[in-house]
Amino acid sequence: MKEVLSGMSVSLGAIKSTARVINDISDLENIKNGDILVLPNSDPIYSIYVMKAAGTICENGGRLSHLCIVS
């Protein structure tokens, strides 16, 4: 069964890729170029990994959060 996520968009673009759910910092080792990162919060520690990602989804934060600006 496919899960559908909803929320506020910060970009007008659309992508289709593998989503990687990050629950712990050790999960970041599995990130591949072009993945979609599903993150629990907006934290500067994710900045390097966001550069490899095709997109990001964050549980918390807004349009001016660190994650949105870096993305």
Side-chain angles (χ1 to χ4, degrees), residues 18-53:
T18 302
R20 304 275 180 200
V21 178
I22 308 301
N23 292 312
D24 185 73
I25 203 159
S26 64
D27 294 334
L28 293 169
E29 297 172 10
N30 301 323
I31 300 302
K32 296 180 179 133
N33 287 334
D35 284 348
I36 299 169
L37 301 184
V38 181
L39 303 165
N41 55 34
S42 177
D43 191 311
I45 199 163
Y46 300 126
S47 298
I48 295 170
Y49 301 97
V50 167
M51 301 302 177
K52 294 174 70 174

